[in-house]
Amino acid sequence: MPPVHFRTHGHLLLCQHVNCEARGARLLYSALWNALDRERLAYFKSGGTVRLTASGCLGACSFGPVLCVYRERAGQLEEGWYAAADLPLALQVARATHEQTALPDDRKYGP
Ligand code: FES
């Protein structure tokens, strides 16, 4: 029997490599999982649609913690990249992903 596939609205990646770790990325990862669980945004919760994965270096080491999100919106792949992420910002990104609304502009860089 194949594994259960959870349909999601997007996938957040949070860097856990050394520079981001030194800026609190490990604690942020735990706090964000707790918040996703509490707010029922996590993909494994009933009605939840957001994935979160610890990642390796995302290439902006002097600006961490670095968070990125990939999601499909209006039939297009959209990506959002964030520097100096903290819990309020990461939760805003997660909520926008879940609600399929515009991603926040605060600390966003790249495309
Ligand atoms: S260590 Fe996080 S982006 Fe490189």
Side-chain angles (χ1 to χ4, degrees):
M1 183 192 276
V4 174
H5 179 260
F6 296 92
R7 271 197 69 77
T8 58
H9 291 175
H11 197 158
L12 277 61
L13 302 174
L14 181 60
C15 177
Q16 299 290 288
H17 200 52
V18 288
N19 288 304
C20 289
E21 182 187 28
R23 293 181 172 87
R26 208 164 285 269
L27 187 59
L28 176 58
Y29 184 74
S30 297
L32 184 54
W33 259 128
N34 288 340
L36 295 180
D37 195 13
R38 189 177 60 246
E39 295 197 16
R40 307 192 67 79
L41 301 174
Y43 71 93
F44 53 82
K45 292 288 188 180
S46 176
T49 63
V50 177
R51 287 183 189 270
L52 171 63
T53 298
S55 88
C57 180
L58 293 171
C61 313
S62 299
F63 302 91
V66 176
L67 171 73
C68 77
V69 57
Y70 288 97
R71 66 178 187 168
E72 186 180 323
R73 192 155 184 247
Q76 302 273 331
L77 179 66
E78 181 185 30
E79 55 188 298
W81 293 81
Y82 293 90
D86 55 16
L87 185 59
L89 174 62
L91 251 180
Q92 275 189 295
V93 173
R95 288 180 186 133
T97 300
H98 177 71
E99 294 162 6
Q100 298 181 294
T101 56
L103 292 172
D105 289 329
D106 182 26
R107 285 167 269 170
K108 195 166 186 270
Y109 70 96

